Amino acid sequence: MRIAVLMTNTDESDFSARWPKDGEKFPAMIRKVRPDWRFEVYSVKDGVFPADLAGLDGVLITGSPHSVNSGAAWVTRLFELIHEIYAAGLPMFGACFGHQAIAKALGGDVGPNPAGWVFGLVEKRFADGSVLPLYASHSEQVTELPEGAEVVAAGPDCNVAGFVIGGEIMTTQYHPEMEPAFIAALVEHLAEELPQEVTERARASLVNEADMIAMAERIALFLERKSA
């Protein structure tokens, strides 16, 4: 399998420089369950986009602190590419910013979460009744679904924690690529910027860990066009 990773994370801080980029995190996550897959990383936030879609088996769109509502030129180009990927029938997975970008590009909408920040470990509750612990870090979320989308999961203060469109699109509002050490460091890094109660709640949630393997398997099955 040959997968394109569209890297959208705009954080170029000293903190970010101490950790692997999302273009490394997402392949590392998937390789835990599909070690032989190949990945091509495109830093779309820097204006680097695939020349074409030929030879690709699927697409992953990463998270970012950037807002899908910014109007930035690279975001507009990403929306256009999302349309192209969808029209080509390639399976496309989006996480956090990627989830929101797919929704926005295809006619949905994204806005502030009325409850504020969702941060730390949360339970993603699937429509089939299963529950999966994942890391969250968002203050915006999908407020209106694109045409044909079906909500498949919800979470704390987030009614659209994931949606699908046929067999072509699968998303999550959360961060399956984050490792426990990274989210713990991120909570402390943002402690002075976020309300104290948000930080304290996030710290308390980290007594348990996300199930990266289970979510990676779901994503891999989707990209293989099998049941996820």
Side-chain angles (χ1 to χ4, degrees):
M1 293 281 283
R2 181 179 165 216
I3 307 298
V5 179
L6 308 184
M7 193 168 63
T8 66
N9 194 332
T10 55
D11 184 1
E12 299 291 349
S13 67
D14 291 343
F15 169 81
S16 178
R18 294 195 294 271
W19 299 90
K21 297 291 188 183
D22 284 359
E24 301 169 67
K25 289 178 183 176
F26 277 84
M29 171 187 67
I30 297 296
R31 286 189 179 118
K32 290 178 183 292
V33 295
R34 300 293 188 275
D36 59 338
W37 283 19
R38 293 179 297 143
F39 297 88
E40 297 179 7
V41 179
Y42 299 90
S43 186
V44 297
K45 57 97 175 181
D46 294 314
V48 180
F49 289 81
D52 58 57
L53 303 175
L56 292 175
D57 297 301
V59 177
L60 297 171
I61 308 178
T62 76
S64 178
H66 197 85
S67 173
V68 299
N69 294 316
S70 71
W74 71 266
V75 175
T76 300
R77 174 68 187 99
L78 177 61
F79 290 169
E80 295 169 354
L81 180 58
I82 288 169
H83 274 279
E84 294 168 17
I85 296 165
Y86 186 44
L90 280 176
M92 176 169 42
F93 172 80
C96 198
F97 178 96
H99 154 86
Q100 295 173 9
I102 293 170
K104 183 88 172 177
L106 298 182
D109 206 0
V110 174
N113 178 6
W117 273 82
V118 178
F119 198 26
L121 186 72
V122 301
E123 288 190 341
K124 182 176 182 179
R125 301 184 303 275
F126 290 91
D128 64 5
S130 60
V131 175
L132 189 62
L134 292 173
Y135 297 124
S137 179
H138 66 98
S139 60
E140 290 187 317
Q141 58 193 27
V142 174
T143 56
E144 183 178 339
L145 289 166
E147 184 176 355
E150 174 190 359
V151 177
V152 294
D157 297 314
C158 184
N159 292 330
V160 185
F163 67 85
V164 298
I165 301 179
E168 286 73 44
I169 289 172
M170 173 182 170
T171 75
T172 181
Q173 176 58 69
Y174 303 128
H175 285 276
E177 82 287 358
M178 286 186 178
E179 296 278 2
F182 175 80
I183 187 67
L186 183 64
V187 168
E188 300 311 316
H189 173 64
L190 296 178
E192 293 185 2
E193 298 180 27
L194 301 182
Q196 183 178 353
E197 63 269 21
V198 172
T199 297
E200 290 178 351
R201 187 165 59 244
R203 284 173 179 152
S205 75
L206 299 183
V207 295
N208 296 310
E209 293 185 0
D211 193 340
M212 176 186 283
I213 297 296
M215 190 61 191
E217 181 66 22
R218 282 178 178 263
I219 296 166
L221 288 171
F222 160 73
L223 291 171
E224 291 170 335
R225 299 185 183 275
K226 299 175 182 177
S227 174

